[in-house]
Amino acid sequence: MQQASAEKYTKQRQAAIRAAASVFAEKGFHGACTKDIAERMGIKQGSLYYYFKSKEEALGEVCLFGIQDYVGHMATIADSNQPFEAKLIATITSHLSSYRERNEALKVYNDERLYLPKARRSRLKELGSGYRQRLERIFEEGRISGAVRQSVDCHFAAQAVIGMCNAWGDLIVRDPDLDLFTVIQKCTDLLINGFTKKTTTTT
Amino acid sequence: MQQASAEKYTKQRQAAIRAAASVFAEKGFHGACTKDIAERMGIKQGSLYYYFKSKEEALGEVCLFGIQDYVGHMATIADSNQPFEAKLIATITSHLSSYRERNEALKVYNDERLYLPKARRSRLKELGSGYRQRLERIFEEGRISGAVRQSVDCHFAAQAVIGMCNAWGDLIVRDPDLDLFTVIQKCTDLLINGFTKKTTTTT
Amino acid sequence: MQQASAEKYTKQRQAAIRAAASVFAEKGFHGACTKDIAERMGIKQGSLYYYFKSKEEALGEVCLFGIQDYVGHMATIADSNQPFEAKLIATITSHLSSYRERNEALKVYNDERLYLPKARRSRLKELGSGYRQRLERIFEEGRISGAVRQSVDCHFAAQAVIGMCNAWGDLIVRDPDLDLFTVIQKCTDLLINGFTKKTTTTT
Amino acid sequence: MQQASAEKYTKQRQAAIRAAASVFAEKGFHGACTKDIAERMGIKQGSLYYYFKSKEEALGEVCLFGIQDYVGHMATIADSNQPFEAKLIATITSHLSSYRERNEALKVYNDERLYLPKARRSRLKELGSGYRQRLERIFEEGRISGAVRQSVDCHFAAQAVIGMCNAWGDLIVRDPDLDLFTVIQKCTDLLINGFTKKTTTTT
DNA sequence: AATGAATGAGAGTTCATTCAT
DNA sequence: TATGAATGAACTCTCATTCAT
């Protein structure tokens, strides 16, 4: 009985997080109101406070939900034994796929996390930095293995990949007709080969 | 006399736009309050409405201010006689430089323009689309001249360039120590050459 | 339980309408402020918006409340089988009595309804026109039955009765010592007999 | 020179009063704003204060302007040597004619004078009371001369006449196609003869 | 005689939050 | 577990008024 109850609570809370993600994504944190969130999950405004202590807490949970998945994947990717290109493809795939499934929460993480109180923000930052560092590491290994040009700045490269993924993630969210697979391929191709013909070996 | 008066008005209105840009960039449109904007330019809240009919109008003006410069440059670049690479470099330089000078307004344009009423938004959209189309055109010309690989999707490429510039623009805004020139160079290099060594000629 | 709740809401809303009527009557729509209304019913300003979507909606409800009663009576009077004079007396009695009970709302209807948005105003107008038309009809029947002089313009007569009732209604509201019964009698007498002696038969 | 200047001032002030009357009539005292008034006379908001110390003073001047004319006439009528009916006709004519010429100011006097500060209001009240008293006097003389029925309450009668004139005045203002002469005739007829046939002599 | 610019007080409205039920 | 009702703080916006020019 008590267990069933606890289960229901967890399920409802998940629903609340998704509802909040949806509303925050659409209107931004400050532009959204708790009534909208409550209505989207079919309860009344006051009842929301059974699941969140405050609107801010809701934002925190949404952000966490948004990234925990693809941040989790990254550890697997980084620790795997694949060559550089495979890892890069895997990263981009994981990142962009996340946008299709958790698009709203991810968008919220990107756009609204700065409205979080410091304490909560830094906890998220750790996760985010971990992601970037692992990606940076992948580039370093790529440079050592010779797959990546010596002249590439690995820190910059990681940022660039994340930036481009997020930019495309945004477009994916906005346009549901966009084919995920195609975008992944093109992004990967661009990042690996650049725009120009490869005529000479450059270092 | 009357001229001087009109001039003062224009100058103050410019100041108001900059102040609004600054506050919107920091807190978002809905998170910002008109009192902050007024105080940042040294007047009282109510006086702001001497320069803007509404908070929304302020947002519109900020957005316009944010892009009109680099959108204006694009026409010059596109119409010039330079080869593909030079045009790409010029574009990236213009775009990222804008972030240093009008960083706040640009950030606002990117993040908050969707809160604009439809009418005003579509006027901005035209400008933005014009930019993207010109950039697309540059890629198409590049493909014809052979500077760009045949396999590159020009529409995608233009989006990618814009996305990456904006992502780096964000970082430039957030971190004032970042060297603009270096970022421009690295972005250009990445976009032109990709991450990998160029060993074989691909089409 | 739910029923009791809905009932409470309805009761409170009625109270809000009366409070609004009272304040609007005293200060006019634009001169009144929502804080006054709220305080008059013992709640805080913000709480008023639990019952009205806007100040304007409050005005609409007050106006409706003000006339629905005497407009409703009119149907009964008009459809009854009484002779002309009895119907006229009944009309005047109903109209002026309304001023004693709903004086404030009625005054508001008369003086402030023009500040209503068009949509809501036209709904009220229908009610008002219905009232005037029925009264006009009563005069026409009176003319046919011979109780009213042939020379009387029925449209004009109806307007005149309404105008006089409203003028006296105003005085009734302003001076609570005024005896309602006396006013009704004198109005009726004046309207039926005029000021002058009846010496000859005129048509 | 100074004289010409003083003259222009007076003329402009008159224009200001008319402009204020027009705006107050349309939107009510509290609903009107000084900017509207200024614009209607072709000057800027701030300049209005050259002619009025405050918005309230403007209201006072409008009210005075609205009634001084027909109140002035009343003295002439009352002091004349005409019989009762002629005096009543003259009164109604003067009152309703005023609505055609100064309709806006008169409407303002009727609807908005209560928003005047006490001091100024009582000065107007004197004028208004004087009007009513003179009218009452006319009825009393009529009763003595036999033109008016003994049973008529003269105080009531005067109020009724004023009430009806104001009610019709409102309609005259609202509907510019209404023929003034017809309205005067019908009002007079109604007040003198009532609605019913005069078959017997009543006292 | 008129104006542009600014002000400050106050308005209507929204909304996160609380709490008894 | 959920809700209806209420609150109070914050916000946008309006406007009468002032004053240097």
Side-chain angles (χ1 to χ4, degrees):
Chain A
M1 191 76 149
Q2 216 160 324
Q3 193 124 14
S5 178
E7 216 174 292
K8 188 187 173 190
Y9 180 86
T10 311
K11 203 180 286 183
Q12 277 286 71
R13 193 161 198 271
Q14 259 308 306
I17 291 172
R18 282 180 189 279
S22 169
V23 177
F24 287 157
E26 193 179 319
K27 309 193 175 181
F29 177 64
H30 286 114
C33 72
T34 56
K35 205 186 168 203
D36 290 344
I37 301 174
E39 264 168 16
R40 192 152 312 193
M41 64 177 289
I43 63 175
K44 295 296 162 62
Q45 192 179 17
S47 314
L48 210 61
Y49 285 75
Y50 193 70
Y51 301 104
F52 299 125
K53 224 175 55 209
S54 70
K55 193 186 175 189
E56 223 164 58
E57 183 182 298
L59 177 59
E61 296 299 304
V62 169
C63 288
L64 188 60
F65 174 71
I67 56 162
Q68 66 191 4
D69 215 56
Y70 84 104
V71 163
H73 284 185
M74 177 49 102
T76 317
I77 295 170
D79 293 349
S80 74
N81 243 338
Q82 309 165 81
F84 168 76
E85 294 204 5
K87 282 185 176 177
L88 185 60
I89 291 174
T91 301
I92 292 170
T93 303
S94 151
H95 201 132
L96 289 180
S97 299
S98 245
Y99 265 103
R100 257 289 138 79
E101 278 180 41
R102 322 202 151 197
N103 49 63
E104 290 157 335
L106 246 174
K107 184 168 159 40
V108 171
Y109 168 77
N110 282 326
D111 296 350
E112 315 289 335
R113 68 168 170 240
L114 70 151
Y115 301 126
L116 246 21
K118 248 198 161 171
R120 205 182 283 268
R121 192 154 84 241
S122 57
R123 242 175 303 148
L124 283 172
K125 202 167 196 166
E126 276 172 51
L127 291 177
S129 309
Y131 183 79
R132 205 199 53 243
Q133 277 159 20
R134 281 198 173 85
L135 184 51
E136 221 169 307
R137 200 74 217 283
I138 290 176
F139 274 102
E140 281 159 13
E141 290 168 8
R143 211 160 60 170
I144 290 166
S145 79
V148 173
R149 287 188 283 134
Q150 284 313 109
S151 53
V152 165
D153 172 338
C154 294
H155 177 70
F156 165 88
Q159 294 272 32
V161 169
I162 294 170
M164 179 163 294
C165 283
N166 285 333
W168 274 100
D170 244 41
L171 296 173
I172 286 172
V173 170
R174 232 170 273 172
D175 179 359
D177 293 337
L178 220 51
D179 181 57
L180 184 59
F181 181 71
T182 309
V183 175
I184 290 173
Q185 268 203 314
K186 287 183 178 165
C187 273
T188 317
D189 178 50
L190 166 58
L191 288 169
I192 290 180
N193 299 313
F195 290 135
T196 59
K197 284 192 189 174
K198 309 214 155 193
T199 46
T200 46
T201 303
T202 58
T203 323
Chain B
M1 195 72 146
Q2 217 161 321
Q3 192 124 12
S5 180
E7 220 172 289
K8 189 190 173 188
Y9 181 86
T10 311
K11 204 178 287 183
Q12 277 286 75
R13 193 160 199 273
Q14 259 309 306
I17 291 172
R18 282 180 190 279
S22 168
V23 176
F24 287 157
E26 192 179 319
K27 308 193 177 184
F29 177 64
H30 286 114
C33 71
T34 55
K35 201 186 171 208
D36 291 344
I37 300 175
E39 267 168 15
R40 192 153 313 193
M41 63 178 289
I43 62 175
K44 294 294 161 62
Q45 188 189 28
S47 311
L48 207 61
Y49 286 75
Y50 192 67
Y51 299 102
F52 299 124
K53 228 175 49 216
S54 68
K55 193 187 175 188
E56 220 164 61
E57 183 181 301
L59 177 59
E61 295 299 300
V62 169
C63 288
L64 188 61
F65 174 70
I67 56 163
Q68 69 188 2
D69 216 55
Y70 82 102
V71 164
H73 284 186
M74 176 48 100
T76 318
I77 295 170
D79 293 349
S80 75
N81 243 339
Q82 306 164 82
F84 169 76
E85 294 205 5
K87 282 186 176 176
L88 185 61
I89 292 174
T91 301
I92 293 169
T93 303
S94 152
H95 201 133
L96 290 179
S97 298
S98 245
Y99 266 102
R100 256 289 137 78
E101 278 180 42
R102 323 200 154 197
N103 48 63
E104 289 156 334
L106 249 173
K107 183 170 160 39
V108 171
Y109 169 78
N110 283 325
D111 296 350
E112 316 288 335
R113 70 168 169 241
L114 70 150
Y115 301 125
L116 245 21
K118 247 194 160 177
R120 205 183 284 268
R121 191 152 85 240
S122 58
R123 242 175 304 149
L124 284 172
K125 203 167 196 165
E126 274 172 54
L127 293 177
S129 307
Y131 185 77
R132 207 200 50 242
Q133 278 159 19
R134 280 199 173 85
L135 185 50
E136 222 168 303
R137 201 73 218 282
I138 292 177
F139 274 101
E140 281 160 12
E141 291 168 7
R143 214 159 60 166
I144 290 166
S145 79
V148 173
R149 287 188 284 135
Q150 285 310 110
S151 54
V152 166
D153 171 339
C154 294
H155 178 71
F156 166 88
Q159 293 271 34
V161 169
I162 294 171
M164 179 163 293
C165 283
N166 285 333
W168 273 100
D170 244 41
L171 297 172
I172 286 171
V173 170
R174 233 171 268 172
D175 178 359
D177 293 338
L178 220 50
D179 182 56
L180 184 59
F181 181 71
T182 309
V183 174
I184 291 172
Q185 268 204 315
K186 287 183 177 165
C187 273
T188 318
D189 178 51
L190 166 58
L191 288 168
I192 291 180
N193 299 311
F195 290 136
T196 58
K197 283 193 189 173
K198 310 216 156 191
T199 48
T200 46
T201 304
T202 59
T203 321
Chain C
M1 195 72 145
Q2 220 161 318
Q3 191 124 13
S5 180
E7 222 173 286
K8 190 189 171 188
Y9 181 85
T10 310
K11 205 179 285 183
Q12 277 286 74
R13 194 161 198 271
Q14 258 309 305
I17 291 173
R18 283 181 190 280
S22 168
V23 177
F24 287 156
E26 192 180 318
K27 310 193 176 182
F29 177 65
H30 286 115
C33 72
T34 55
K35 201 186 169 206
D36 291 344
I37 300 174
E39 267 168 14
R40 193 153 310 194
M41 63 178 287
I43 61 174
K44 294 296 162 58
Q45 189 187 23
S47 312
L48 208 62
Y49 286 76
Y50 192 67
Y51 300 102
F52 298 126
K53 227 174 49 217
S54 70
K55 193 187 176 189
E56 219 164 60
E57 183 183 299
L59 177 58
E61 296 297 301
V62 169
C63 288
L64 188 61
F65 174 70
I67 56 161
Q68 68 189 2
D69 215 55
Y70 83 101
V71 163
H73 284 185
M74 176 47 101
T76 318
I77 296 171
D79 292 349
S80 74
N81 243 340
Q82 310 164 79
F84 170 75
E85 294 206 4
K87 282 185 176 177
L88 185 61
I89 292 174
T91 301
I92 294 169
T93 303
S94 152
H95 201 131
L96 289 180
S97 298
S98 244
Y99 265 103
R100 256 290 136 80
E101 278 180 40
R102 324 201 153 196
N103 49 62
E104 288 156 333
L106 250 172
K107 184 169 159 40
V108 171
Y109 169 78
N110 283 325
D111 296 350
E112 315 289 336
R113 69 167 169 241
L114 70 150
Y115 300 126
L116 244 23
K118 247 194 161 176
R120 206 183 282 268
R121 189 152 87 241
S122 58
R123 245 175 303 149
L124 285 172
K125 202 167 198 166
E126 276 173 50
L127 292 177
S129 308
Y131 184 77
R132 206 201 51 243
Q133 278 161 18
R134 282 198 171 85
L135 185 50
E136 222 168 304
R137 202 71 217 283
I138 290 177
F139 274 103
E140 281 160 12
E141 290 168 7
R143 214 160 60 168
I144 290 167
S145 78
V148 172
R149 288 187 284 135
Q150 285 310 111
S151 55
V152 166
D153 172 338
C154 292
H155 178 71
F156 166 88
Q159 294 270 33
V161 169
I162 293 171
M164 180 162 292
C165 283
N166 285 334
W168 274 100
D170 244 41
L171 296 172
I172 285 172
V173 171
R174 235 170 268 172
D175 179 359
D177 293 338
L178 220 49
D179 182 55
L180 183 59
F181 181 70
T182 310
V183 175
I184 290 173
Q185 268 203 317
K186 287 184 177 164
C187 273
T188 318
D189 178 50
L190 167 57
L191 287 169
I192 289 179
N193 298 313
F195 289 136
T196 57
K197 282 192 189 172
K198 309 214 155 192
T199 49
T200 47
T201 303
T202 59
T203 321
Chain D
M1 191 73 147
Q2 214 160 326
Q3 193 123 14
S5 178
E7 215 172 295
K8 188 188 173 190
Y9 181 86
T10 312
K11 202 179 288 182
Q12 276 287 71
R13 194 162 198 271
Q14 259 309 305
I17 292 172
R18 282 181 191 278
S22 169
V23 177
F24 287 156
E26 193 180 318
K27 309 193 177 183
F29 176 64
H30 285 113
C33 72
T34 56
K35 205 188 168 201
D36 291 343
I37 301 174
E39 264 168 17
R40 192 153 311 193
M41 65 178 290
I43 63 174
K44 293 295 163 63
Q45 192 180 16
S47 313
L48 209 62
Y49 285 75
Y50 194 71
Y51 301 105
F52 299 125
K53 224 176 54 208
S54 70
K55 193 186 174 189
E56 223 164 56
E57 184 182 297
L59 176 59
E61 296 298 302
V62 169
C63 288
L64 189 61
F65 174 70
I67 56 162
Q68 69 189 2
D69 214 56
Y70 83 106
V71 163
H73 284 187
M74 178 47 102
T76 319
I77 295 170
D79 293 350
S80 75
N81 243 339
Q82 309 166 81
F84 169 75
E85 293 204 7
K87 282 186 176 177
L88 185 61
I89 292 173
T91 301
I92 293 169
T93 303
S94 151
H95 201 130
L96 290 180
S97 299
S98 244
Y99 265 103
R100 257 289 140 80
E101 278 180 43
R102 323 201 154 199
N103 49 63
E104 287 158 335
L106 246 173
K107 183 167 160 41
V108 172
Y109 168 78
N110 283 325
D111 295 350
E112 315 290 336
R113 70 170 169 241
L114 70 150
Y115 301 126
L116 245 21
K118 249 196 160 171
R120 203 183 285 266
R121 191 154 84 239
S122 56
R123 243 174 304 149
L124 283 172
K125 203 167 197 164
E126 276 172 51
L127 292 177
S129 308
Y131 184 78
R132 207 199 53 243
Q133 278 159 20
R134 282 199 172 83
L135 184 52
E136 223 168 304
R137 202 71 217 284
I138 291 177
F139 274 102
E140 280 160 11
E141 291 169 8
R143 212 158 61 168
I144 290 166
S145 79
V148 172
R149 287 186 285 132
Q150 285 311 111
S151 56
V152 166
D153 172 338
C154 293
H155 178 70
F156 167 87
Q159 293 272 33
V161 170
I162 294 171
M164 180 163 294
C165 283
N166 284 334
W168 273 100
D170 244 39
L171 296 173
I172 286 171
V173 170
R174 232 170 272 172
D175 178 0
D177 293 337
L178 222 49
D179 182 56
L180 184 58
F181 182 70
T182 309
V183 175
I184 291 173
Q185 267 204 314
K186 286 183 178 165
C187 273
T188 319
D189 178 50
L190 166 59
L191 288 168
I192 290 179
N193 298 314
F195 289 136
T196 58
K197 286 193 185 173
K198 310 218 154 191
T199 48
T200 46
T201 304
T202 57
T203 323

